[in-house]
């Protein structure tokens, strides 16, 4: 792969609003989502797959009795661990389904039913009779069972860190906050449930596997699934032209993708369609672990921090480790000479957790930013002033300078917008009618990330038009639109001169739409390809000439710590008769590098704020430890914010450009909106009522006298 | 393959006949609850008798031997009922209860009869992989020691702690409505309080109606209190959530003194809970916050709570006081 040293793009379209390239298709229903592909896309006469899930949390499948299902006139086959095609690689025990009789969690896939219609497959699945040799299970996270120390935490960070002497500093501290904060299990719940269409073929004597999949990364699906079937990457093709959200749950292939590929292996080339139901998503497509954060802050009377400790207890599945990096933001947020963080897991007989929007930062900053609010109250300081006094000169974790840390400006701008100056300093001092009224603030942060393994292709179409291709996915964020803008500016043409192709693993490789890294990673590759294309082919290229390139690493960038920052302000009202809590105002101010498209970026910020509000007030997956599965497994019982809960939500950003990070000057916007938001709401609720709630969600019962 | 028969009768009597003739047959109203249960496997009737097209869809004022009031056909849609001018002006608690429930789309589809006979939202009842005495008698109650936030605190039993989810039913309980029922042996009238039952040791039965009895109408008698009535639903999110607790209140004052008061609670029991002891404690008294709180406590002497449901007690105190004090302000 040719590597190109990129130089900053001269922005013309970047920074301006451009309507969504696929807006019309989406609002008119013309956009084709994964499950909807049909004959026009080569999906002819498909069979439907329905998943049969384990009803025990741990044990062995003793027997799968398929007789009743097979006697159903439309059922074609039942696949279980005794007759499923064998996989070449079974190391990943989330993905390697139906290879043996072991049951690692309730809801695990134990059989597949294939039938001519989805209804018949579902009916067939209900007729499969599975019996188990049951073993005792453990499905409850407690402080006393989270003792396992992982080698690293997501994605590859240190498990524990320590600087100075925290215990000594706490002993000498004039003011100490020593509290435990809890966040519940949460499920991503994108609007479009996961779905996969798969079919096998033989091309030039080699097997090929084709898929339409609802995923955040088509290349990632190839990378994880192809080796399991003994395929080279070029024997597999995954497309995801439209995806109805993911929030991390589609960041990696989950077991249903392998289920579709396994089922299709048995049908002599006939495609199979598999849709995961909303209820099944609660067991099969990832979730955020519950977290227990023990935070200790030591400070001088003037609020200057002398010690910060954040010890996290959380859980993973015994069959596959995923360690949420909950304490990671605590490592770089504020200055203090003595600092310690740690992560311990309970390994439970439960579904496999995974990424959910801002893994680590979301639960971690809830704990840390509520603790900061408690420290401000203990020191008699305004919470903004407390943060001003603890602003670090260098990144406390790496010792490097921050490239662009503008947290204080975010706080100040938000304070103006929220008329913070007129806020009473005492809690429980404002009542309007039936409501206690208060305001709160929290800081937000998210690391700027660029992923390896991205390249893009630019081809001249003649007459000043260009085809630009990269295998990235637009999961509803507006990636199609902003990549068009980036390509246009990099080639110095108008956006309508660009034909952008994405979402196909046959296109140059692209990393996942996750970690707020997509635009930075893919955009930089597009700029690299465009700049090399111009260098090689000039301003008036012949039709048909093309360049594929990736961006060379910029060694100079290594000297900085790259993070985005923000400040979230919330107003909370708590009904003094019923305890009900409402948030009439929510405002975020962000520093995220250059905003490439104000319209799509605002959607990300506001969407993140709404999701943070939702986590603050509503979201909680209740896992019943006796059974081992989540029993609030639909959207009637797993509450997300409704329209009536989302009132005045605003977002703005500081004008800036971070060209040390990307040639577009951008750093990424997808996740920071959810960070700190629940803490701002909890701090506002404290200010309103004087009641300090240290666990999410903040429900009415917690505010009753 | 499981075959299911679907029939559309020509008349209410024909509907009753069809259901009476087939064991396990069920009436189908708007289907917003029953169809979910078919999909979840909670119920699997062999015969569905679709009554939603029968002409039981009018709202009429009556003035006769049984007094004065409003008669609601069983097929009146929830949204039409909530929007009806007489309902809004003379029985505001009914309109407000309806509008606090479900969503616009669901209310457009849901019927008056179906709403009253909707079944509990207990998560274990809806999850066929877990024990539930209501769904599968004798299998045990998973909610007793499980997800308990919505559990009953009044009139529950060791066999079942489910709550009735309907908001409309709470309003109708407060107004002393009468349910008109057609069965194989003719019509009968059921006082609202006697429609739903407590679980006892047979929670599989929600009501006192026979399987083959069809609700044809609901009658709401006019009262002075009914005109000063309202509904307050306390819930986690501002819309589209079932009640943690809810209060239907109706009030008639003589100066500052309570002449008539009706209090019914949702979210606390297997049926809409008419708080008659609380009412009795208030009649003839001056309506103050303290008096309401004390009256609520009197009703709740029979309450049984756990750590997860203890919050319902202060929530009922506060929300009942708020409901009645606001009504009193309206009157003055
Ligand atoms: C997501 C969601 C949220 C909801 N939120 C709320 C809420 O907040 N508050 C609330 O009160 N409700 C709520 N509901 C429930 C909704 O109000 C009920 O589903 C609806 O009222 C049922 O009416 P239906 O006509 O659709 O009944 P169906 O589903 O048709 O029937 C329900 C039951 O009644 C029986 N039945 C129907 N009609 C008759 C009749 N005339 N005579 C005898 N038996 C009959 C049926 O056999 C069945 O057993 C919600 C529902 C959903 C899906």
């Amino acid at each position: 792969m040719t590597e190109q040293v990129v130089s900053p793009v001269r922005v013309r379209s970047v920074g301006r609003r451009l309507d969504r390239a696929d807006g019309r298709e989406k609002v008119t229903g013309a956009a084709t989502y994964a499950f909807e592909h049909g004959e026009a896309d080569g999906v002819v006469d498909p069979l439907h797959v329905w998943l049969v899930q384990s009803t025990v949390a741990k044990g062995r499948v003793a027997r799968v009795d398929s007789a009743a299902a097979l006697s159903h006139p439309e059922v074609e086959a039942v696949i279980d661990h005794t007759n499923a095609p064998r996989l070449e690689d079974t190391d990943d025990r989330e993905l390697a389904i139906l290879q043996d009789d072991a049951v690692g969690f309730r809801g695990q896939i134990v059989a597949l039913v294939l039938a001519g219609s989805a209804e018949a497959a579902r009916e067939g699945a209900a007729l499969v009779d599975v019996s188990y040799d049951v073993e005792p299970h453990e499905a409850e996270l407690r402080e006393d069972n989270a003792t396992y120390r992982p080698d690293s935490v997501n994605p590859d960070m240190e498990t524990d860190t320590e600087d100075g002497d925290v215990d000594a500093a706490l002993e000498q501290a004039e003011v100490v906050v020593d509290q435990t904060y809890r966040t519940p299990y949460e499920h991503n719940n994108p609007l479009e449930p996961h779905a996969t269409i798969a079919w096998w073929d033989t091309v030039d004597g080699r097997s090929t596997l084709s898929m339409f999949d609802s995923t955040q990364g088509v290349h990632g699906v190839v990378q994880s699934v192809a080796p399991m079937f003994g395929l080279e990457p070029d024997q597999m093709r995954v497309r995801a032209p439209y995806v109805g959200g993911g929030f991390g749950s589609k960041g990696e292939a989950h077991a249903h993708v392998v289920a579709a590929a396994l089922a299709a292996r048995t049908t002599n080339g006939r495609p199979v369609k598999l849709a995961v139901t909303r209820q099944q998503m609660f067991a099969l497509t990832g979730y955020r672990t519950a977290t227990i954060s023990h935070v200790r802050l030591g400070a001088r009377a003037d609020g200057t921090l002398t010690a910060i400790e954040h010890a996290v207890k959380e859980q993973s599945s015994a069959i596959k480790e995923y360690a949420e990096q909950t304490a990671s933001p605590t490592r770089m947020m504020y200055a203090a000479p003595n600092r310690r963080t740690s992560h311990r897991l309970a390994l439970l007989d439960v579904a496999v957790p995974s990424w959910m929007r801002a893994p680590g930062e979301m639960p971690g900053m809830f704990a840390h930013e509520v603790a900061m609010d408690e420290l401000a109250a203990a020191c008699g300081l305004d919470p903004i002033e407390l943060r001003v006094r603890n602003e670090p000169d260098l990144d406390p974790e790496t010792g490097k300078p921050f490239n662009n840390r503008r947290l204080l400006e975010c706080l100040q701008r938000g304070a103006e917008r929220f008329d913070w100056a007129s806020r009473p300093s005492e809690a429980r001092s404002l009542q309007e009618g039936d409501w206690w009224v208060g305001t709160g603030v929290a800081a937000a942060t998210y690391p700027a990330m660029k992923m390896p393994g991205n390249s893009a292709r630019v081809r001249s179409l003649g007459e000043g038009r260009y085809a630009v291709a990269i295998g990235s996915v637009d999961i509803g964020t507006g990636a199609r639109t902003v990549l068009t803008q980036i390509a246009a500016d990099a080639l110095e043409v108008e956006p309508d001169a660009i034909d952008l192709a994405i979402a196909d693993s046959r296109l140059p490789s692209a990393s996942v739409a996750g970690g707020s890294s997509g635009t930075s990673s893919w955009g930089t590759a597009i700029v690299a390809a465009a700049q090399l294309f111009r260098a090689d082919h000039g301003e008036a290229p012949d039709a048909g000439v093309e360049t594929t390139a990736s961006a060379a690493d910029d060694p100079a960038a290594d000297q900085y710590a790259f993070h985005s920052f923000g400040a979230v302000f919330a107003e909370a009202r708590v009904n003094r008769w019923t305890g009900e809590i409402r948030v009439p105002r929510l405002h975020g101010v962000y520093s995220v590098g250059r905003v490439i498209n104000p319209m799509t970026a605002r959607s990300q910020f506001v969407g993140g704020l709404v999701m943070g509000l939702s986590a603050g007030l509503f979201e909680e997956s209740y896992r019943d430890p006796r059974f081992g599965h989540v029993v609030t497994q639909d959207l009637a019982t797993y509450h997300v914010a409704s329209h009536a809960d989302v009132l005045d939500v605003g977002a703005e950003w500081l004008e800036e450009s971070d060209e040390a990070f990307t040639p577009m000057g951008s750093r990424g916007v997808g996740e920071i909106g959810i960070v700190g938001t629940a803490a701002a709401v909890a701090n506002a609720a404290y200010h309103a009522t004087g009641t300090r709630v240290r666990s999410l969600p903040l429900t009415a019962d917690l505010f009753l006298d | 393959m499981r075959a299911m028969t679907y029939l559309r009768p020509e008349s209410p009597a024909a509907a009753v006949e069809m259901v009476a003739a087939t064991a396990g047959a069920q009436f189908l109203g708007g289907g917003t609850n029953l169809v979910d249960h078919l999909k979840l496997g909670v119920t699997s009737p062999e015969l569905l008798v679709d009554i939603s097209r029968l002409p039981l869809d009018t709202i009429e004022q009556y003035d006769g031997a049984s007094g004065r009031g409003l008669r609601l056909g069983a097929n009146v849609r929830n949204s039409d009922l909530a929007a009806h001018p007489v309902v809004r002006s003379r029985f505001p608690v009914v309109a407000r209860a309806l509008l606090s429930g479900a969503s616009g789309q669901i209310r457009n589809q849901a019927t008056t009869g179906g709403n009253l006979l909707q079944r509990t939202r207990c998560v274990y009842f809806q999850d066929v992989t877990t024990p539930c005495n209501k769904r599968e008698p004798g299998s045990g109650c998973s909610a007793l020691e499980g997800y308990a936030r919505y559990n009953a605190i009044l009139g529950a039993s060791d066999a079942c702690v489910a709550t009735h989810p309907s908001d409309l039913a709470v309003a109708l309980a407060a107004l002393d409505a009468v349910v008109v029922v057609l069965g194989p042996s003719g019509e009968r009238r059921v006082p609202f309080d006697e429609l739903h039952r407590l679980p006892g040791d047979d929670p599989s039965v929600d009501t006192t109606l026979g399987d083959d009895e069809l609700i044809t109408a609901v009658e709401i008698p006019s009262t002075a209190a009914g005109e000063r009535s309202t509904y307050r639903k306390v819930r986690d999110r501002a819309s589209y959530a079932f009640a943690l607790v809810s209060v239907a209140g109706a009030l008639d004052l003589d100066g500052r003194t309570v002449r008539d008061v009706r209090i019914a609670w949702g979210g606390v029991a297997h049926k809409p809970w008419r708080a008659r002891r609380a009412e009795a404690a208030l009649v003839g008294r001056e309506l103050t916050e303290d008096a309401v709180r004390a009256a609520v406590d009197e009703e709740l002497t029979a309450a049984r709570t756990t750590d997860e449901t203890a919050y319902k007690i202060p929530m009922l105190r506060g929300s009942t006081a708020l409901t009645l004090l606001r009504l009193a302000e309206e009157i003055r």
Side-chain angles (χ1 to χ4, degrees):
Chain A
M1 177 63 52
T2 319
E3 289 202 348
Q4 167 75 5
V5 175
V6 291
S7 50
V9 170
R10 243 182 354 121
V11 298
R12 302 193 313 170
S13 174
V14 164
R16 296 184 189 206
R17 177 193 161 119
L18 182 68
D19 286 346
R20 280 175 188 268
D22 51 13
R24 189 185 170 80
E25 287 91 313
K26 287 188 172 175
V27 299
T28 56
T32 314
Y33 289 81
F35 192 77
E36 300 173 325
H37 290 277
E39 290 193 19
D41 303 307
V43 182
V44 182
D45 191 22
L47 283 170
H48 289 260
V49 184
W50 205 270
L51 305 174
V52 179
Q53 296 175 276
S54 157
T55 54
V56 305
K58 190 170 167 62
R60 309 226 151 244
V61 175
R63 183 153 174 268
V64 178
D65 183 348
S66 317
L70 288 170
S71 69
H72 188 293
E74 277 186 71
V75 169
E76 302 262 340
V78 176
I79 302 173
D80 61 31
H81 67 280
T82 63
N83 62 353
R86 294 299 110 185
L87 295 167
E88 304 234 335
D89 179 348
T90 58
D91 284 351
D92 186 322
R93 291 186 54 215
E94 178 194 5
L95 296 183
I97 54 165
L98 305 181
Q99 301 301 296
D100 59 34
D101 60 358
V103 174
F105 65 93
R106 186 168 174 131
Q108 179 183 315
I109 299 169
V110 291
L112 310 173
V113 175
L114 278 73
S117 68
E119 291 80 5
R122 183 178 199 165
E123 200 175 6
L127 294 172
V128 175
D129 185 9
V130 185
S131 42
Y132 303 87
D133 293 329
V134 183
E135 294 164 23
H137 70 267
E138 172 66 277
E140 185 178 25
L141 167 65
R142 298 184 310 270
E143 299 212 33
D144 67 10
N145 66 0
T147 53
Y148 166 78
R149 182 187 187 282
D151 288 340
S152 65
V153 296
N154 179 62
D156 54 5
M157 295 181 181
E158 283 184 85
T159 304
D160 300 346
T161 58
E162 180 147 19
D163 284 295
D165 187 341
V166 167
D167 297 315
L170 281 167
E171 224 156 85
Q172 288 157 23
E174 290 166 317
V175 186
V176 172
V177 170
D178 180 344
Q179 294 292 352
T180 300
Y181 303 88
R182 289 182 161 80
T183 64
Y185 298 105
E186 292 166 354
H187 279 76
N188 316 49
N189 276 312
L191 192 56
E192 182 207 15
H194 299 59
T196 307
I197 298 176
W199 68 98
W200 290 80
D201 205 344
T202 307
V203 177
D204 299 334
R206 298 166 84 213
S207 288
T208 62
L209 173 59
S210 301
M211 280 186 181
F212 287 102
D213 187 32
S214 186
T215 175
Q216 293 173 231
V218 287
H219 287 279
V221 174
V222 172
Q223 283 153 19
S224 56
V225 175
M228 298 184 71
F229 287 88
L231 301 177
E232 295 299 323
D234 70 333
Q235 289 170 276
M236 189 172 167
R237 181 183 190 187
V238 179
R239 283 171 282 176
Y242 296 95
V243 176
F247 306 116
S249 71
K250 297 171 182 170
E252 297 178 299
H254 292 292
H256 68 277
V257 179
V258 179
L262 274 175
R265 197 83 184 107
T266 68
T267 61
N268 293 319
R270 201 168 162 188
V272 304
K273 282 187 158 192
L274 189 163
V276 180
T277 66
R278 182 66 60 185
Q279 283 90 347
Q280 290 169 344
M281 286 168 69
F282 282 80
L284 291 173
T285 58
Y287 62 98
R288 194 195 304 282
T289 174
T291 68
I292 305 169
S293 283
H294 187 187
V295 177
R296 293 199 293 168
L297 304 177
R300 290 201 284 271
D302 68 357
T304 316
L305 282 162
T306 54
I308 303 175
E309 180 179 49
H310 190 166
V312 178
K313 292 180 174 172
E314 50 195 19
Q315 56 106 67
S316 184
S317 169
I319 68 163
K320 183 170 172 177
E321 181 175 313
Y322 170 83
E324 180 119 346
Q325 69 273 37
T326 303
S328 66
T330 308
R331 295 171 181 169
M332 46 64 63
M333 205 51 211
Y334 301 110
N338 306 290
R339 316 148 45 68
R340 182 157 67 204
T341 65
S342 63
H343 298 86
R344 295 294 178 272
L345 304 181
L347 297 180
L348 304 177
D349 304 310
V350 298
V352 181
S354 173
W355 301 324
M356 179 163 168
R357 202 174 199 172
E361 275 74 17
M362 192 272 149
M365 286 292 274
F366 168 72
H368 195 14
E369 289 298 297
V370 175
M372 286 297 278
D373 204 63
E374 299 207 53
L375 181 62
C379 296
L381 271 182
D382 181 89
I384 294 178
E385 177 58 25
L386 177 72
R387 288 168 175 88
V388 171
R389 293 188 186 182
N390 289 291
E391 180 70 357
D393 296 329
L394 299 172
D395 174 14
E397 187 179 16
T398 61
K400 295 177 185 178
F402 286 106
N403 184 47
N404 203 2
R405 178 170 169 133
R406 299 176 73 191
L407 171 61
L408 299 186
E409 283 167 81
C410 293
L411 286 163
Q412 279 143 12
R413 176 81 66 88
E416 286 160 29
R417 294 280 188 270
F418 239 64
D419 193 18
W420 193 257
S422 69
R423 174 190 197 248
S425 58
E426 288 298 302
R428 203 179 176 91
S429 52
L430 221 63
Q431 209 182 330
E432 282 178 26
D434 297 325
W435 302 83
W436 291 107
V437 182
T439 49
V441 65
T445 187
Y446 200 77
M449 289 191 271
K450 236 175 357 193
M451 300 292 179
N454 284 277
S455 57
R457 184 175 68 219
V458 175
R459 177 187 297 154
S460 166
L461 298 172
E463 292 168 13
R465 297 193 57 76
Y466 298 88
V468 175
I470 181 162
S472 57
V473 176
D474 184 334
I475 60 172
T477 55
R480 243 190 204 97
T481 313
V482 300
L483 294 183
T484 301
Q485 291 177 277
I486 292 168
D489 284 7
L491 288 163
E492 303 191 330
V493 298
E494 293 302 314
D496 61 13
I498 303 293
D499 277 353
L500 181 78
I502 59 168
D504 185 340
S505 64
R506 291 226 173 128
L507 301 177
S509 113
S511 51
V512 65
S516 301
S517 68
T519 304
S520 301
S521 310
W522 315 323
T524 301
I526 287 174
V527 170
Q531 291 179 346
L532 185 59
F533 177 91
R534 283 288 185 231
D536 287 353
H537 304 296
E539 297 303 313
D542 293 337
V545 299
E546 66 173 50
T547 297
T548 303
S550 57
D553 279 341
D554 174 9
D558 237 17
Q559 59 193 316
Y560 298 111
F562 291 103
H563 294 265
S564 288
F565 291 92
V568 194
F569 290 76
E571 176 184 328
R573 292 179 169 241
V574 177
N575 189 295
R576 77 176 178 91
W577 305 86
T578 65
E580 286 163 294
I581 172 168
R582 305 285 180 247
V583 176
R585 267 197 309 160
L586 194 58
H587 192 81
V589 183
Y590 297 102
S591 158
V592 292
R594 193 195 303 281
V595 161
I596 292 178
N597 181 330
M599 183 181 68
T600 53
R602 182 179 301 281
S603 292
Q604 288 300 305
F605 292 133
V606 169
L609 286 162
V610 170
M611 203 166 173
L613 168 74
S614 188
L617 299 184
F618 312 117
E619 293 189 38
E620 173 170 24
S621 311
Y622 182 92
R623 180 192 294 146
D624 189 323
R626 298 168 302 169
F627 302 114
H629 71 304
V630 169
V631 295
T632 52
Q633 51 189 333
D634 56 35
L635 294 178
T637 50
Y638 182 89
H639 284 170
V640 299
S642 71
H643 285 288
D645 298 299
V646 179
L647 302 166
D648 182 357
V649 179
E652 63 185 293
W653 47 88
L654 307 181
E655 286 305 319
E656 62 187 37
S657 179
D658 191 344
E659 281 154 16
F661 188 64
T662 63
M664 301 80 73
S666 61
R667 271 198 305 263
V669 299
E671 278 148 293
I672 194 166
I674 197 178
V675 180
T677 307
V681 172
N683 294 342
Y686 167 76
H687 186 239
T689 62
T691 301
R692 179 68 73 182
V693 176
R694 301 186 179 88
S695 61
L696 293 180
L698 291 110
T699 46
D701 47 289
L702 303 169
F703 295 99
L704 288 165
D705 298 325
Chain B
M1 188 166 50
R2 195 164 48 74
M4 187 174 72
T5 310
Y6 168 91
L7 295 176
R8 272 188 214 159
E10 295 295 323
S11 66
V16 170
E17 213 170 288
M18 287 171 183
V19 169
T22 309
Q26 287 186 42
F27 298 114
L28 177 69
T32 60
N33 192 225
L34 183 49
V35 172
D36 277 1
H37 288 165
L38 297 178
K39 289 192 209 162
L40 292 168
V42 168
T43 182
S44 43
E46 272 158 36
L47 171 64
L48 282 184
V49 176
D50 184 350
I51 51 135
S52 67
R53 289 169 173 78
L54 293 176
L56 303 168
D57 56 355
T58 53
I59 301 176
E60 288 159 6
Q61 303 195 51
Y62 64 84
D63 189 354
S66 59
R68 230 159 46 78
L70 200 64
R71 187 182 162 97
L72 325 170
N75 280 341
V76 174
R77 304 286 156 162
N78 289 178
S79 43
D80 293 335
L81 185 56
H84 195 275
V86 177
V87 174
R88 290 177 51 170
S89 61
R90 305 260 305 281
F91 308 97
V93 64
V94 172
R96 290 177 195 166
L98 283 165
L99 292 176
S100 75
S103 67
Q105 292 98 320
I106 292 170
R107 293 195 297 268
N108 285 341
Q109 178 72 13
T111 63
T112 303
N115 188 310
L116 301 181
L117 298 190
Q118 63 175 300
R119 309 204 65 194
T120 184
R121 309 299 293 200
C122 177
V123 295
Y124 302 100
F125 175 69
Q126 298 181 88
D127 180 347
V128 298
T129 71
T130 59
C132 167
N133 286 326
K134 185 180 279 298
R135 181 170 28 76
E136 216 182 309
S139 61
C141 174
S142 299
L144 267 178
E145 284 167 11
Y147 179 62
R149 186 167 170 72
Y150 289 88
N151 282 359
I153 59 168
L154 286 164
S157 70
D158 286 345
C160 182
V161 285
T163 47
H164 196 265
S166 165
D167 292 300
L168 173 63
V170 181
L172 294 178
L175 297 180
D176 287 326
V178 172
V179 181
V180 185
V181 175
L182 183 67
S185 48
E187 190 172 287
R188 67 185 183 107
R189 298 163 57 78
V190 182
F192 205 85
D193 230 8
E194 292 167 24
L195 176 65
H196 299 94
R197 60 185 288 283
L198 292 175
D201 54 14
D202 186 9
S204 70
V205 184
D206 290 354
T207 70
T208 56
L209 302 187
D211 289 344
D212 50 9
E213 285 191 304
L214 176 74
I215 296 180
T216 55
V218 175
E219 290 181 1
I220 320 177
S222 290
T223 56
E227 293 194 18
R228 293 285 179 221
S229 65
T230 193
Y231 191 72
R232 181 169 293 271
K233 182 175 181 183
V234 185
R235 47 185 155 171
D236 284 332
R237 59 182 174 189
S239 94
Y240 211 20
F242 288 93
L244 296 168
V245 307
S246 67
V247 182
L251 187 64
D252 186 22
L253 288 183
D254 179 5
R256 299 194 157 271
T257 308
V258 176
R259 187 185 292 144
D260 184 12
V261 62
R262 315 286 181 81
I263 303 168
W265 289 331
V268 298
H270 199 254
K271 58 185 287 189
W273 191 267
R274 183 73 184 270
R276 292 188 191 276
R277 289 179 69 179
E279 292 173 5
L282 287 170
V283 171
R285 294 290 248 339
E286 190 180 335
L287 191 83
T288 62
E289 181 177 345
D290 286 346
V292 179
R293 286 179 182 268
V296 168
D297 283 350
E298 192 147 331
E299 185 75 37
L300 290 175
T301 49
R304 283 210 340 229
T305 62
T306 62
D307 285 352
E308 292 89 350
T309 56
Y311 75 88
K312 292 193 179 192
I313 302 246
M315 196 176 267
L316 283 167
R317 277 189 206 117
S319 52
T320 307
L322 178 57
T323 305
L324 295 182
L325 293 176
R326 286 287 177 278
L327 279 175
E329 277 168 26
E330 264 181 51
I331 295 170
R332 284 178 200 134

